[in-house]
Amino acid sequence: MNMVKKAVQIMSVCMFFCVFLYAESSFQKGIDYIELKTPLKEAHNSVIEIFSYRCIHCYNHYKFETLKKLKAKIPELNYRLYHTNFQQGYWKELNNLFAYAYAKDLQNNQDAAQGGMVYKLAGAYFDSYFVQKQDFENQNNLDGFYEIGLNVLGISLSELEAFMQTAEAKQIISQYEQAEPIALEQGTPTFIVNGKYQIMAGAFDSLEVLALLIEDLMKMP
């Protein structure tokens, strides 16, 4: 009787590991993720969410705190937000604001999952568009649009313009520019793992599956 019981226990353990291994290896290239033809620069050991402040799905991820919850599960990775406006409206101005915020986060050793300046800046524009129903771009109101970001960053427009002349700013902007064609082709939000693998829309339906997929992709060369 004990031998039968032990055999059942062994079979249960085997079934558990088989299911686990299947879950780990069930993600498929071309369906759940694709490999970028041109990897993003300086993106090793990272998860980058390309988002738009006018995208309701991006706003939902922000409210759900997806990046923060991912960091709790996979703390060793660096989590970033790259904004895109699909090269429309005030996209250059917004990139400049996010570049300054990103530089400050680097100085403070923070990422977008830790409530840094990039996270706060994204939140301010999400709130303006979805909560306060402000649409400065359609109103052709650049001053009002800038005011939101400059207030979050605590700087003047002249200080931002001075920063944009630095080598650091130009390097950050070049990283953002790499993300533009990805967003134009795949939409937002989209997640890039290790600067090389793009998670496809519909590849996950929960935070747990997204975390498993990210961990799987981090193991790939």
Side-chain angles (χ1 to χ4, degrees), residues 90-139:
Y90 299 140
W91 67 282
K92 290 184 178 179
E93 291 81 2
L94 201 52
N95 275 0
N96 293 349
L97 289 163
F98 273 105
Y100 185 94
Y102 183 46
K104 288 299 178 183
D105 283 349
L106 288 176
Q107 290 178 15
N108 296 325
N109 196 30
Q110 288 185 309
D111 66 14
Q114 297 169 307
M117 293 302 292
V118 168
Y119 182 84
K120 292 176 183 176
L121 189 62
Y125 281 103
F126 275 135
D127 182 78
S128 171
Y129 190 74
F130 285 105
V131 180
Q132 300 180 39
K133 307 299 181 183
Q134 297 172 321
D135 195 346
F136 294 109
E137 295 190 66
N138 281 342
Q139 296 166 6

Side-chain angles (χ1 to χ4, degrees), residues 15-97:
M15 287 176 66
F16 171 81
F17 280 107
C18 286
V19 170
F20 180 74
L21 289 172
Y22 174 76
E24 274 201 316
S25 61
S26 62
F27 301 116
Q28 299 180 51
K29 185 175 182 179
I31 297 177
D32 299 304
Y33 69 93
I34 60 173
E35 185 173 349
L36 298 177
K37 295 179 181 177
T38 304
L40 300 182
K41 296 178 181 177
E42 300 183 30
H44 179 68
N45 208 41
S46 73
V47 173
I48 297 170
E49 179 188 349
I50 303 175
F51 80 105
S52 168
Y53 82 94
R54 300 163 74 95
C55 164
I56 184 62
H57 303 296
C58 302
Y59 180 46
N60 288 336
H61 274 293
Y62 184 88
K63 289 191 297 181
F64 184 68
E65 298 185 321
T66 297
L67 294 186
K68 181 178 179 180
K69 291 175 181 177
L70 283 173
K71 193 171 187 70
K73 290 179 175 293
I74 320 172
E76 66 272 17
L77 301 184
N78 181 268
Y79 296 85
R80 306 180 193 174
L81 284 168
Y82 281 12
H83 187 271
T84 178
N85 216 17
F86 302 100
Q87 298 186 350
Q88 298 175 356
Y90 299 140
W91 67 282
K92 290 184 178 179
E93 291 81 2
L94 201 52
N95 275 0
N96 293 349
L97 289 163

